[in-house]
Amino acid sequence: MSVRNFGSLAMVATCAGAALGCYLVSLRVASERAQLEDVETRIVLAQRDLRVVQTEIGTRARLSQLERWNAKVLALSAPAADQFLTGSFELARLAQPQHKVEFNAPVVLASAPAPEAKKPPIGEPEADDASAPAPVDLLRQASLKTGTREVPSEPVATSPHMATGSKSTLSPATAAKPAQKKAVDKPGLAAAHPGKTVDKPALASPKPVTNAIRLAKVDPLAPLPDKHSPKSVSKPSKDLHPGR
Amino acid sequence: MNAPSPALVAPRPERLRLVGQRRQILALMHQRLMFGMLVYAGVIAIVALRILYLAAFGDHAGRKEGLTQLIPDRGDIVDRDGEPLARTIDAWTIAIHPTKVIGDKLALARSLARLMPEHSEAEYFGMLRSGKPFFYLRRRASPALVEAVNALGEPGLAIEREPDRLYPQTSLAAHVLGFTDIDGHGAAGVERAFDKYLSDPATRGQPLQLSISSKIQQALEHELGDAMAQFSAIGAAGVVMDVHTGEVLAMTSMPTINPNAPGQGTPEAHFNRATLGVFELGSTFKPFTVAMAMDAGVIKSVGQVYNCPNALPVYGHIIHDTHPFGRACTVSEIMMESSNIGTAQIADQVGKQRQQAFLKKMGFLDKVEIELKERGRALNPGSRWGPFETMTIGFGQGIAVAPLQLAMGYATLFDNGVYHAPTILKRGPNNPLPRGRRVFSEDTSYKMRSLLRLVVMKGTGKKADAPGYRIGGKTGTAQKLINGHYSQTINITSFAGVFPMDDPRYVIVVMLDEPHATKDTYGFTTAGWNVAPVVSRTVSRIAPMLGVAPDMNREPNMGEVLPFVHETKE
């Protein structure tokens, strides 16, 4: 009797327990699902916010606005046909002339000292000693300003070659400063012309200085003698590109 | 007294009957009770099952409907690169319920007039005292204004968010996009044509992708707008189209509207000149005449010679040229110098029947084929179509088409002679390229390349050239019909160009309505002076974007035409 009674009770208890278990599982599932939906909702809300921000940025940076800015400030224009490159070789060709410009430029600058250098050649034989005091005055002025860069290089390059020429090599270096000064004082063509006319006779003396520099820079780049000739030709063509 | 014992005395028959009845009633009662109990248990069981079902599969109480996917109230419109052109956003709306206002109405009216000066203080006060339940005060209000209105603290003021259509690029491609009315339904352009797609909940989640490219559209609009201002034209239109697919990459009509505030535009600005307007586009028609003649076998070589006197009297009229030859000239020269006299003779040889058949196949006698609802019907002489009309149509007078139709014609001519209807939607799985119909032969299409390139290299369209992009095309200067007479001074100028001419990929058509002469054009109002430079500037801007690389060493086969050009001048 008792076993039977307990049996039914146990059945009821088992059923109730199973039902409760099932219910708990489903409750757990439901709560998980609710959390998932919360996350999904948050994602959608974030997407909506993104959309709002994107729309605002897009509206503020609309093409007509960019065009207006371009017209007023940037002034960019469509690239011309010759600004397009078809391959790496063309790109390399564009890069090459820049080296040439670098070591051609010092030659122009070095020729600037000429105006003072022209005086000694006029009274060549005796004027050497006579002209000496005059550069000395100039030397004082010059040494006040710069000279740190040029003075050490000149003695090394020139003094072994010419013992008597030491004065003359000094004089262009010292004379360089007054010449530059003049150019600064009188900007424009008027200042430039006298310097140019005197260039050629003076070339003889500054050459050793520039040569020393040139050799050091050229060595890796100029193994072929052929390439030197087109340098001057390709230089203007290079100048055209940045202009556009 | 006579109390019989129940055991001894037989029950009376009535009594017996009573017992039987009671038993029956009892049984009935039991049945009824049982039935009631079953019903009750059933109801409880149903409730319990329902609860169990809900517990297992049902939604929980806090669930928010419809937020698992972002579906806008109206579908987005995007360009071919996915850049949004139209979107629906939640905008702030300020409204008022005058009956619910509890504060001082005069003070409220005063502060409303200060914040929103579009109505005066008296008008606001009138609204508040009108007794009507609801007024909109401002739609699409700025957040700053909403904050200020909210700070008034009046419960009668309703501040709500409601969906609103926004066009982030403002007036860009306004005539293509169209706009929506106050209820959010399309009223023009794509908004009207695809209203069902954009508002259907099943489809609006997916944006509508147009074939328009916003960058190209911007370039075209900018250059055309500049030209329109420079030459004080009353209107302008432009189309850029893909030759092979018929996709419209850019289409504009000027003056334009701002679809964010469509009410501000004039009726003139609402008019879509590119698809709805039809114009006699003049000499831009000549390539079609020459192509027809080539296809029909009338012209066997571009070196074929025609007599080109200074004036040609035909059928009781006299045809003139702007640059008369006064000698015999070849077909190449006729195209190069845009000779009406030469083209008229070619058209005459082609004849009315063949001309009509070709024009029909090219779609020039019907409405322009595009998804937009704003479509114009091409005009033609109809019953008056005689031999003289055949000649004038040959050089583009007497037939009026929309600029989009002209672009379509050029696309047909240079897509190996196969016609594809233009489309405003991007070609793809949803909008596949339909089978085209052949209008011209491939050979004709090929020969026309060098002929049109010649016009730009040496002829009337020199200013349309963009170095490296091999533009070919034809200028068109048509006299405008005013009160039934062709004006001698007022023109419609157009240019139809194709690039790159050695392998045609894109066609560009631009048109200016009533341009005026300026100092820079030396008093000319012809197409070569005002619209041709627009093409040059636009193409040099858009061609790199379209993947057309400039190449100074490529040209169509000019050897076919150059031998037939007589060069004595220059």
Side-chain angles (χ1 to χ4, degrees), chain B residues 4-68:
Chain B
S5 67
L8 293 178
V9 180
R12 283 175 299 198
E14 305 87 41
R15 179 119 181 144
L16 273 176
R17 213 164 47 236
L18 265 177
V19 170
Q21 277 181 346
R22 190 180 288 171
R23 203 169 276 163
Q24 276 182 349
I25 288 169
L26 212 63
L28 195 67
M29 294 287 274
H30 276 147
Q31 276 182 2
R32 284 179 180 170
L33 265 176
M34 181 56 82
F35 179 73
M37 208 179 75
L38 280 177
V39 168
Y40 197 71
V43 169
I44 286 176
I46 288 172
V47 170
L49 283 174
R50 175 70 183 154
I51 287 171
L52 276 175
Y53 173 80
L54 285 179
F57 309 107
D59 298 336
H60 67 92
R63 176 162 176 160
K64 300 164 196 93
E65 284 288 326
L67 266 178
T68 48

Side-chain angles (χ1 to χ4, degrees), chain B residues 165-459:
Chain B
R165 201 70 167 155
L166 175 80
Y167 302 87
Q169 301 284 355
T170 58
S171 63
L172 190 78
H175 285 101
V176 175
L177 293 174
F179 50 89
T180 54
D181 57 14
I182 200 106
D183 302 320
H185 289 290
V190 168
E191 295 272 24
R192 182 160 74 137
F194 295 95
D195 194 35
K196 199 158 164 275
Y197 179 94
L198 292 170
S199 50
D200 187 354
T203 52
R204 71 189 182 200
Q206 203 62 22
L208 183 70
Q209 192 162 38
L210 302 187
S211 60
I212 297 286
S213 163
S214 48
K215 290 177 207 145
I216 291 163
Q217 178 80 23
Q218 172 63 30
L220 179 69
E221 281 190 16
H222 180 75
E223 300 299 344
L224 201 54
D226 272 3
M228 191 175 139
Q230 191 187 346
F231 299 108
S232 324
I234 60 163
V239 178
V240 178
M241 223 170 111
D242 189 314
V243 165
H244 300 304
T245 62
E247 286 172 297
V248 177
L249 297 172
M251 182 159 72
T252 184
S253 165
M254 291 183 181
T256 189
I257 51 167
N258 181 0
N260 288 312
Q264 292 170 4
T266 58
E268 172 79 354
H270 277 270
F271 180 69
N272 187 347
R273 286 165 199 269
T275 56
L276 186 59
V278 292
F279 305 92
E280 288 180 274
L281 291 175
S283 308
T284 41
F285 248 71
K286 284 175 187 163
F288 301 132
T289 305
V290 172
M292 286 174 199
M294 278 183 183
D295 236 36
V298 171
I299 294 178
K300 294 185 177 59
S301 144
V302 289
Q304 194 160 323
V305 176
Y306 285 84
N307 184 26
C308 299
N310 288 329
L312 181 72
V314 277
Y315 304 111
H317 300 267
I318 296 174
I319 297 174
H320 295 280
D321 265 346
T322 45
H323 307 284
F325 284 104
R327 60 175 168 86
C329 54
T330 61
V331 173
S332 305
E333 287 172 315
I334 288 172
M335 280 298 291
M336 192 176 91
E337 292 298 336
S338 189
S339 162
N340 291 343
I341 293 172
T343 322
Q345 293 174 64
I346 298 172
D348 198 32
Q349 288 182 342
V350 172
K352 178 188 159 190
Q353 301 300 330
R354 283 189 285 200
Q355 190 181 45
Q356 277 181 336
F358 271 116
L359 291 177
K360 180 79 187 162
K361 273 197 278 185
M362 291 168 76
F364 279 175
L365 301 182
D366 305 299
K367 273 189 174 182
V368 56
E369 275 190 77
I370 187 126
E371 292 90 344
L372 300 182
K373 307 256 189 207
E374 295 87 10
R375 299 187 298 156
R377 176 173 283 282
L379 303 178
N380 58 61
S383 58
R384 292 186 296 105
W385 200 323
F388 180 69
E389 279 69 29
T390 304
M391 284 178 136
T392 59
I393 286 172
F395 54 82
Q397 293 279 3
I399 185 162
V401 298
L404 179 66
Q405 263 173 316
L406 187 71
M408 200 174 78
Y410 272 78
T412 305
L413 189 51
F414 289 99
D415 186 19
N416 294 324
V418 178
Y419 171 91
H420 288 294
T423 178
I424 201 73
L425 299 183
K426 191 179 181 179
R427 293 275 185 221
N430 299 329
N431 185 25
L433 184 65
R435 245 184 97 80
R437 60 169 185 262
R438 179 160 293 283
V439 181
F440 299 108
S441 71
E442 269 182 59
D443 189 43
T444 303
S445 172
Y446 180 77
K447 281 182 188 157
M448 291 306 292
R449 291 183 187 179
S450 47
L451 215 50
L452 286 200
R453 178 72 184 130
L454 178 73
V455 175
V456 174
M457 277 173 88
K458 293 181 175 293

